[in-house]
Each structure stands twice: as C-alpha cells, then as structure tokens.
Amino acid sequence: MSADRPAPSPGPILVVNPNSSQSVTDGLSRALERFRVPGGPAIECLTIAEGPPGIITQRHVEEAGLRLADLAERRPDASAFVIACYSDPGIDLVRSVTAAPVYGIQEAGVLSALARADRIGVIAVAATSIPRHLRYLRRMGVESRLAGELALDGLSVAESGHGEAAFAQLADRGERLKALGAGAVVLGCAGMAAQRARLEKRLGLPVVDPTQAAVAMALGGILAAAA
Amino acid sequence: MSADRPAPSPGPILVVNPNSSQSVTDGLSRALERFRVPGGPAIECLTIAEGPPGIITQRHVEEAGLRLADLAERRPDASAFVIACYSDPGIDLVRSVTAAPVYGIQEAGVLSALARADRIGVIAVAATSIPRHLRYLRRMGVESRLAGELALDGLSVAESGHGEAAFAQLADRGERLKALGAGAVVLGCAGMAAQRARLEKRLGLPVVDPTQAAVAMALGGILAAAA
Amino acid sequence: MSADRPAPSPGPILVVNPNSSQSVTDGLSRALERFRVPGGPAIECLTIAEGPPGIITQRHVEEAGLRLADLAERRPDASAFVIACYSDPGIDLVRSVTAAPVYGIQEAGVLSALARADRIGVIAVAATSIPRHLRYLRRMGVESRLAGELALDGLSVAESGHGEAAFAQLADRGERLKALGAGAVVLGCAGMAAQRARLEKRLGLPVVDPTQAAVAMALGGILAAAA
Amino acid sequence: MSADRPAPSPGPILVVNPNSSQSVTDGLSRALERFRVPGGPAIECLTIAEGPPGIITQRHVEEAGLRLADLAERRPDASAFVIACYSDPGIDLVRSVTAAPVYGIQEAGVLSALARADRIGVIAVAATSIPRHLRYLRRMGVESRLAGELALDGLSVAESGHGEAAFAQLADRGERLKALGAGAVVLGCAGMAAQRARLEKRLGLPVVDPTQAAVAMALGGILAAAA
Amino acid sequence: MSADRPAPSPGPILVVNPNSSQSVTDGLSRALERFRVPGGPAIECLTIAEGPPGIITQRHVEEAGLRLADLAERRPDASAFVIACYSDPGIDLVRSVTAAPVYGIQEAGVLSALARADRIGVIAVAATSIPRHLRYLRRMGVESRLAGELALDGLSVAESGHGEAAFAQLADRGERLKALGAGAVVLGCAGMAAQRARLEKRLGLPVVDPTQAAVAMALGGILAAAA
Amino acid sequence: MSADRPAPSPGPILVVNPNSSQSVTDGLSRALERFRVPGGPAIECLTIAEGPPGIITQRHVEEAGLRLADLAERRPDASAFVIACYSDPGIDLVRSVTAAPVYGIQEAGVLSALARADRIGVIAVAATSIPRHLRYLRRMGVESRLAGELALDGLSVAESGHGEAAFAQLADRGERLKALGAGAVVLGCAGMAAQRARLEKRLGLPVVDPTQAAVAMALGGILAAAA
C-alpha cells in the first residue's frame, strides 16, 4: 500500500486475560496505555468472566485455551490476539481457528529477551509453574539460552504486581539470576508490569514484561502490514 | 511514570544501514514510515557513507561493526539502535559501547518469526551468506527450528527489493521453504521490505521483514519504558 | 510384597480412545488381547462417545484432553491410563488429576522404538499431523534421533488400519524411512495395529504399534508394583 | 495371527547378568516373578559364570559384551535378550549377532522413566560410573531431560539392594534429585529392585527398576507379535 | 623443564592398526613419515596380527578394543596411543588401562576438521559404517556441525586408498558433501591417506586424514610436555 | 610427494599475539620452542605493536581481528596462522583473506581437550570473558561437553602466567572443575603456558595450553601436506 494514502483502520489487538480477575485486566490495560498510538490499532484488554480467578492448575490452562479459542472465533474483527497468561494456554488451538496472528506472552517475552541478551532468566510467580515453563522452553528449542528460572514465594499473581514485599522478592530473584549469567530477565506472569521499570533500574539489566513484548510484536506486524 | 502525564520525548531509534547506498536507506525509511507513530520516537535511518556499496565480504562485516560502534558512541541521544544488515555486524561490539538497546535484524527477524510459527524458513540474497547465517543461528541456539534457508540467484541486494524477476524468485524460494515445513518466512536482507506484503499473500504464510521486526521490538521497549 | 501370596487384584488399565468410533476401539481391544494375561489387570478399551468421529483438528485434540481428564476423575479404580490417540491429547492435564500412571501413545511408541534402534521413523496418517508431532518430539528432547516422518495420503484413520491399498502405502513409507536411516518404525496412529506384523516382516525392521507399547509399559509398571 | 488360535509358544526372554554373582541373578529372578505370566514367555535369568564378581571396570564392561554376544549366539531359541547391567555392555554387539530384540537396562530404564515424567533422576551405585552413564545419555540424545544423577557412597552392588543403610542413602539421593526437578527416578543398577517399592512410596515419585522396565518392553514386544 | 637442556627422550607414539593387514600398516607408516621429526618421539606403526583382515563387523570392533587394551598394557613405554581404525574401537577401555594419552582417529579427525571449517563432511568406506559413525558423533555432541556423511561403493579398505577408481568415487563424494555445505572433509578410514593431497586439491577444501590428525595431536602433547 | 626427496621448505607458522605486549609474545615463543622441529616450518611469534596492552574489551577484540587480517594479507609466505588470543578475534575474517589454514586458540584448545576427555573445564583469566566464551562454545555446537568455566580473580593476563599466587588460583579452579566432572582442563588465555605442566601434575588431569594445541594442529597440517 502506498504510504501517501491512509491505511484502512486495522482491527483491534485483543489482549485476553483468561482469568476472571478484572483488576488484573485493568493492570494489563494500564501497562499497555502507551502502545495505543494514534492511527494504530485499538488495544482491547478483555477478561474471560467465566474463567477461574487465576490460572493455577493444568485444568485451568486447558480450559482457558478453549475459552480463548471461542473468543477468537467470535472476534473476526481482531487484527491480532495476545494470550495474556504466561502458560500460553491454547496457543496451538487459537492459531488453528483464526488467520490473525496469535501471540503467547511466554513465547513473546522469552524471544524478546533473547533479542537483548545471550542468556536470560525468568522469574515465575510460583515454583509449581517452573516445570511447565521448562517443558515449554524445550519445545521452543531455546533452553540452551536459559540461565535459570526462579520463583517468588508465597505471593499470588495479584500480589506479585505491586508492593514492597513483592519488589524485594523480585529484586532478590533478579540478582540471583544475574549471578547465574542472565543478561536479561523476563517477568514470568501477566501481572507484574508495574514492577518492571523499577526492577530494571535496580538490576541494571533489561527486564521484559511479556505482555508488553507480545503487544509490541503484534503492533509491529500491523504497522508492517500497513507499510 | 504515571500515564496521565506526557513522557519526556524519547530519543530517536537509529536504524543504521552500514553500506553506503542511500537508496537502500531510503527504502528502509519508507518501510518504516508507519512505525513513526505520533508521540513515539523519531526513527532516523542513517547511511554510513564511508561504508562499501554493499556488505558482501567478511571484511565488510567486520569494518561495518566498528563503524556502527563509532556511530553509537557519537549518538548518546539515541534510545535504541537497529543494525540494518542481516549479518548483524558488530552486534556484540555496539552493545558494549552503549547502554541503549541494540537490535540486530537477523536476531530480531528470526525471533519474531519464531513467535509466529514452529519452524521457519529464511530467504538469503546470495548463497555465500548462508554459512554465515547458519553459524549465527547455531550461536543463537535456535537451529532446531529452521526448516531451511535458500538463496536467490544472481540478484544484488538492491535488485532483490523490487521487480517481477526478484518476486518470482522470492515466491519460488518461499514455496520451497513451505514444502520443507516452514510456517513463516524471514526475508534475509535489509532491502526486501517492499516485497513483503505481496509475498505473504502469495505464500499464505507470515513473511517477516527483519528491519520492521527490529524496529517493532525497539519501539516496544521504548513504549514499555514510558508506561 | 512377598511372591508367595497373591497380590490384591490391580485395577484395570484403561485404554481410552478419545474419538467416538467404536470400531476403532474394538480394533484396539483386539490388538491388546494378548496383553490380558491371567492374574494381570483387566484392559478396558473405552470410547468417548461424545468425542468427534476422529481427532483431526487442534480443537479435537484439546477437547479430547478435557474429556480424558473427566474420565480419569471418574475412574479412581484404574491402575493406569493410556491415551489412545497419537497426539497424546491432554497428557499434562490427565497427569495432573490422577495419581495413576498416564501413558500417551506417542511418547510410549517413540520411547519404545528408541529402545530398539538408534534412529527411528514415524508414519503419520495425514501430513497435517506432522508439524504437531515434530513439535512434540522437540518437547520430548529426542528429535536428534528421528530419521524422518512421512504421511500416508488420502486415507482416513479407519482406512489406514486394514486393506491392501493402505498396506502398500505403509510399505512404501516404511521403505523410504529405512532409506533415511530408520532402524525402527513407529505407527503414528492408534488404528494401524492390524498392519503391524505384516509391515515388520516386509521391512525387516521392528515396527512399533504405539498403543501396544503404552500398554506394555503400563502392564510392566503394574507387574513391578506387585513384585 | 488370529486371536482364537493359540500362538506357538514363544521362546524365553533371557535376562543375562554378566557378573558371576548368582545371588544377584537370584534377586533379578525374584524381581521378575510377576512378569512370568501364564501363556507368556519364560523368563530365564542367567549368570555368566566366567564373568567377574561385579562389572566395575571398563574392561569388565567390554569383556561382558563379548560374553553376552557368545551367549546370544548359543541361544537362538530366545525371543528377546535383556542385558542386565546398567552399563548396557555389548549392546551394539549383541544386536549385531541376533535378530531377536536386545534391550539394555539403562536404555529401557531411562526411556521408561521418560514416559512417566518430563525430567528424570538417576541413582548410581558408585560415583565412578556417572561419567560413563552421562556419555551414554548423550549418545541417546536425551540428556536435556536429565535433572541429575547422584551416586551412593561406599556400597557394593549387592549391598545397595537391601538393608536400612542402603535405603537411607537411596532416600537421600532421591530427595535431592526431586529437589533438582526430577519427576521420576531410575535405579541405576541391576541389583536394587527390592528397594523400589519402598523408595517410590517414600519419594512420592515413580521409581523405575531398569530390569523390570526392560522385561516389560520385551514382554510387550512378544505379546504384540502374538496379537 | 628448562629449554636449554635436552628433554629425556619421550617414548614412542604407538599407532596401532587393529586389523591384520600389514600393507595397511605400511601405508600408515608412510603417511606418517614426516611426523617423525628429529628429536621427537618415534612413531611405531603396529599391526595386531591376530586381528581380522579388516574391522568390518561390530564383533571385530569389540574384539579389537580388547586387543588394543592388551597391547597398551604391554607397552608402558609408549608416550601416546593412536587407535588407527575409524570406529575408535576400545577407546574408553584403552583410556582406562593406561595413563598415556589415547587418541581415536575418528575423534581426532573430526575435531581437527572442526578447527578448519564450520560444517564438515565425512567419507566412509562402506554405507554400513555410517550409522555407527553417526551414533558416535551424537555421543561426541558435535552432530550439529555435520553437513553429511557419504559412503564409497563396492571398495574394500585397501582399495579405497589408491587408484583412479577409488579417487573418482572420493572426488564425487567430496563434491556432494561440498554441495551439502561441508567446508572440510574427513577421510573416514585409516587407509586413505595416500589420496588426501590430491583430493584436497581437487575439492578446494581441507581434507583431513584422521590418522595424521591423531598423530599431530599426540605429537603436540609430547612437545608441549617437553616445553 | 615421495618421501625420499626433501619437501620444499614450508612457510612459517605465524603465531600472532594481537596485544602489544612483547613479553607475552616472548612467553608464547618459549612455550613453542619444542615445536620448532628440524625440517619443519619456522614458528614466528609476532606482536601487533599497534594493539592494546591487553585484549580486554569487545572493541579490542574487533580491532584485533582487522589487524590480524591485515597482517595475514601482508604475509602470503605463511603456511598457517595462529590467532593467539583466547577470544579468537577475527577468525572468520582472517579465514576469508587467506587460503592458508587459520587456527583460533579457543577452538584449537577446546577441540584438543575434547580429544582427551568426555567433559572439559576452562579456566578464564577474568569473569567478564566467560559470557563471550560460552557464546562461542554454543556457536561451536559443543557446549554439551562443557563441565564448567571458572575465572581467576584479580589477575592480569601477564600475572596469570607465573608465580605462586596465580598457581594457587589455577589449582583451586582446576580442582573445582574436576569436581564438576571435567576430565581435562583448558587454559583459557594465551599467557598461561608456563603453568601448564605443573597444573597438570597437580590435578592429575590433562591440561591443555591452547596456543600449543593450535600450533600442534598447524604443524600437523603442514607435515601431512608434505607426506
């Protein structure tokens, strides 16, 4: 398309929080405010109301995947989907039901961090998620670049996103990952964006919020298509 | 930073073409026009005038790296650097002389394609570059996700970016990569952006222009920092 | 437990066909007849009646996973579960809802073939499944031992399991995998067991039926527990 | 073969202990008692009388391999061979002299554990064996799934198989492997089967005896051939 | 040791041909003539008279290993051993019985070629050896750098080492490996040294004779020890 | 070439120290004294006078590469080049400007150590170099064989090469690498050769000086060419 004619308005980027917590979704939306650029796509942050309060169990993950696919089918207007849960629930499924690009935040967060540093670290909210994440990194074929993954202790998803206690744990885990050789750190959850900048400053390393990373990729694809 | 106050204007994203061809730089700039979003950073596309007409030899690559580092040192105002040559010349060096994020377009292009498909293909301008690219993918630790890399035949960088003859070759290589299992294709050169959309439509697969991918990542980082 | 007292009777091995085709389930049951050893566990082959006629799409895979988990929760008497679909639908989920061993037939078939030969080949029913299988092999971390995977052409799951036309294709694919270096061949579907022995004789290579392989592992675990 | 006619009686599974210790062989035989199913193959556990008391040195390993091959050549009646030493001595050689399936207990134990958990741990009898095992896992191409391997301290093969002192060490190593992320544990020796069930209960993880795992695979192959 | 006093004369490098063919050993000795440097160690090329005429079967490999270890034990005067058979028979065993360095020619040939080019090719004498070689490369952990391995057709080890017919096949295989991306070629047998220089000239690529490579490493170790 | 006529004298092996420290070069030359064999090539150790006192920063590395290429172009008489800096500066570049073999000491040192032991350790002079080395090992595709890399603390390149304080650190790091499973140790710098023999004796493991390893390979290639 020639650059001197306005592109038809692209459909929105749908950022879908598969848990039912509206406050988490509101946090996502705030973290993405700057990505709502004039002339660019809308960025809608959606809550799946029938989801569980948090995606904790493997059943939560699988059910979230189906709900995300249902939503994708109902929204042919979307120009991209972002699955805003670090387990990337339903990523293969959602890709199979829509022609629009589908970004999982674990994939996008990890791949974006790999563009910043040779070896990376991940901070998970809970230790129980780490085996799932490692399995996914092996599937991605990038585990040779993981310096380590460490979990917070005793915090919920919501609690991890703000407050001094959470920050202290994030800083501790970040320092330990740095000692293990991490040159960049990925926040391994959708709800930690508000801690990103402060943690980056503290560590002196790039800290990647995975939802922002996924939206940046989605936005880039849309801008490229309009070029 | 609170979202209701304007962020201080970020410095520009510098997209640096290490060859001396202004027409290539102009093409880059056109391909990035849509990424110049209101309120976002300027995107300056620079030519290194003392560079060679094209980055062909390994010496070109190495000299380009040093020139890129010199430029990075002269531009502390930049909020990000994009090395707009698919050999990612000087990526380690430039990272060592600036605190700003530095994106290589091979890294960014490949990593962005990996966010779209399980296995990817790459189209190089010339067969002689393929060993260098494969070596780099091994260093990146992602070679298990390469379906294949194929080269155009008898075209210069400039010629690869437009015209029916070039497109016919791109389509042929893309179809062959698809047959090898590629679910997305990376354009393995800075100068092919103008062919991207048409090729994507022809192949029915995501086609990633690596400079656009790198700028999307750079833009995302800046928007995240302002969030 | 001492060997001179009879072990308490173990619960059954549940072999669950997640598609609704009773004839496929009946074929599974026939292929497992010899595994019903005196004193050993019953081997129940179940059909998920509300499943689709075949597990074709990614949605089929994901929905099958949830149904399998539901069934697992309803059958605490089972001493092992075998997911009798080569996509191993719901394997992480079923494992999360039961303490009994859960075997996926892709995992069991591939791992059993790896106990017979250094490099293996897989015959898929349909080409569209191959990317899913390759992704799974990467997750398993064993892709360096795959000589190749080839698909039948134009046959349904049911058709692949009997008849000369299907056998001719199986033999052709097997010979090609052998030429690629495969020292054993895995039948990449739950429905091909009736072709196994003939194909093995034809190729002069071990041919592994994945459901039999999974049941052998499940049976072995039960016998070991009784030892 | 149709299921309504009795299969010709299959030849025995030969489980060969390459050391000269009859008591180890007797222990193997006890651990396999439940695998002697009515109508199934005999399971003969053999001692190689001219072998050393234990397979300790690399020379022991190599000589064991040749003796195992000699035995395999003398026993064309066997329907399968199990090499009951965790170094899998002579596995390539025995496979080259017989058309019957040949299972090494390290391969079978590891592969069976991989069917139960994403990452596994191994308990070796002696630290000196670990480099040999790791080299073998690399050859198998599965080292990315090893959480760790730890050795007992100061115990002979025979001592490792019973008694409180040995169990205490097994439990300690198992707990440490669990902390390293192992989801299943392989007993890295032919002589520990009698500790398996108790250790499994203690750890809350599947514990695989490798000889039982190999016999289960061998039995499965024979039952499949009779199906 | 100070450089101004003569070093005590080092023991010989023993290059052991495990087959009984004296003509092969004589060829090895000729190929190593230039490595017998004044002041350096003697290079003795030995034939194992009780070996088979060629190392063809896996049993040959294993028996060769034991004979090599016996020889190593009888020659404590040796300053290094070179196992001059591309299957590296007995490499673990010989290392276990002597404190002197032990070089396998496959390891040395491959590693030396990797010091010359990013990806390498191998020419085997017979197709039946290729699976064994590939398994060994996986154990070495370097298979990602193999461009390919191709076999000669219908030639014995002795025939491969001279003559136009053999050279024509070598040149053909070399050209095909080059087309596959090999930047250096390893002669995958102890008997091809006399063809090395001519093949290197023909291909325009480094061609590595593995016995020369192993002796160079052995010599280097001795010279370093004397430094 | 027939062995009974003297070969034309080969050109020298140029061992190039890219830093400006003549004392380092002198140390190299001493460590290579025994490699100057009668009838063999001269071994010239050169200092790049315009280089920095040490190769510390990434810019040092890159500039060194260009200077090494310049030197290579001025010395067509050389029969081989050895880049005597463990970062292997300019290895791709120098290879692109000369037809003579080019050896990097990191590559040669690591590959030579891999011919001695299954897993290896590396001792770096400074912790800041380790990420660069690890990245290079990943590019080499051999990282699965690294037991670990540890750095000295507070010593310059020059200081690392002699004295009790340096030796004490070397011995400590070597012992720790041995405990991590290293079966051979590489000195990760050009300046430590004088400590090699003593450290080897202390550790009871092969210790590889990388410059000696590279010169051994270069010498071997020249002797092979003369065979």
Side-chain angles (χ1 to χ4, degrees), chain B residues 63-197:
Chain B
E63 291 177 342
L66 285 163
R67 290 191 187 107
L68 286 158
D70 289 344
L71 187 148
E73 290 185 328
R74 290 196 308 269
R75 293 296 300 265
D77 61 310
S79 57
F81 293 90
V82 171
I83 300 174
C85 168
Y86 199 74
S87 296
D88 286 0
I91 189 160
D92 298 325
L93 176 57
V94 183
R95 284 176 174 161
S96 76
V97 301
T98 175
V102 178
Y103 298 91
I105 66 168
Q106 182 171 180
E107 280 192 1
V110 165
L111 295 168
S112 295
L114 293 179
R116 296 296 307 280
D118 190 63
R119 294 171 72 220
I120 65 170
V122 179
I123 303 178
V125 175
T128 52
S129 308
I130 292 181
R132 187 158 63 216
H133 298 169
L134 294 182
R135 207 160 60 204
Y136 199 67
L137 289 174
R138 196 185 312 112
R139 165 181 145 149
M140 288 177 67
V142 300
E143 76 269 44
S144 67
R145 293 183 66 185
L146 183 73
E149 176 160 351
L150 297 172
L152 303 181
D153 186 19
L155 297 177
S156 71
V157 168
E159 290 165 337
S160 73
H162 62 274
E164 290 307 306
F167 184 77
Q169 285 202 26
L170 286 165
D172 171 74
R173 300 313 182 270
E175 294 289 359
R176 285 160 56 190
L177 291 168
K178 192 175 175 178
L180 288 168
V185 169
V186 182
L187 299 174
C189 185
M192 296 175 179
Q195 304 264 31
R196 197 202 63 79

Side-chain angles (χ1 to χ4, degrees), chain F residues 201-213:
Chain F
K201 192 168 179 184
R202 168 69 160 271
L203 298 177
L205 293 182
V207 174
V208 175
D209 175 71
T211 314
Q212 290 175 331

Side-chain angles (χ1 to χ4, degrees), chain C residues 152 155-163 166-167 170 191-196:
Chain C
L152 304 180
L155 297 176
S156 70
V157 169
E159 291 165 337
S160 72
H162 62 274
F167 184 76
L170 286 165
M192 295 175 179
Q195 305 265 29
R196 195 201 65 77

Side-chain angles (χ1 to χ4, degrees), chain C:
Chain C
M1 172 171 305
S2 80
D4 53 355
R5 288 203 335 165
S9 185
I13 298 173
L14 297 191
V15 179
V16 192
N17 168 22
N19 71 45
S20 62
S21 167
Q22 186 61 38
S23 69
V24 168
T25 310
D26 292 345
L28 287 171
S29 191
R30 278 192 301 276
L32 297 170
E33 183 54 30
R34 296 284 174 187
F35 291 79
R36 295 184 174 103
V37 297
I43 299 176
E44 287 185 39
C45 294
L46 304 178
T47 306
I48 294 198
E50 65 270 40
I55 304 295
I56 310 295
T57 67
Q58 189 68 33
R59 183 181 284 276
H60 291 158
V61 173
E62 311 274 342
E63 290 177 342
L66 285 163
R67 289 189 188 111
L68 286 158
D70 290 345
L71 187 147
E73 291 185 327
R74 290 194 310 266
R75 293 295 301 265
D77 62 310
S79 57
F81 293 90
V82 171
I83 300 175
C85 168
Y86 199 74
S87 296
D88 287 1
I91 190 160
D92 298 325
L93 175 57
V94 182
R95 284 176 173 161
S96 77
V97 301
T98 176
V102 177
Y103 298 92
I105 66 169
Q106 182 171 181
E107 281 192 0
V110 165
L111 294 169
S112 295
L114 293 178
R116 296 295 307 280
D118 191 63
R119 293 171 73 220
I120 65 170
V122 179
I123 303 179
V125 174
T128 52
S129 307
I130 292 180
R132 186 157 64 216
H133 298 169
L134 294 181
R135 206 159 61 205
Y136 199 66
L137 289 174
R138 198 186 310 114
R139 164 181 146 149
M140 288 177 68
V142 299
E143 75 270 43
S144 67
R145 293 183 66 186
L146 184 73
E149 176 160 351
L150 297 173
L152 304 180
D153 186 20
L155 297 176
S156 70
V157 169
E159 291 165 337
S160 72
H162 62 274
E164 290 307 306
F167 184 76
Q169 286 202 25
L170 286 165
D172 170 74
R173 300 312 182 270
E175 294 289 359
R176 286 160 58 190
L177 291 168
K178 191 175 175 177
L180 288 168
V185 169
V186 182
L187 300 174
C189 185
M192 295 175 179
Q195 305 265 29
R196 195 201 65 77
R198 186 181 173 197
L199 184 62
E200 183 168 278
K201 192 168 179 184
R202 167 69 160 272
L203 298 177
L205 293 181
V207 174
V208 174
D209 175 71
T211 314
Q212 291 175 331
V215 169
M217 284 182 165
L219 179 60
I222 292 166
L223 297 175

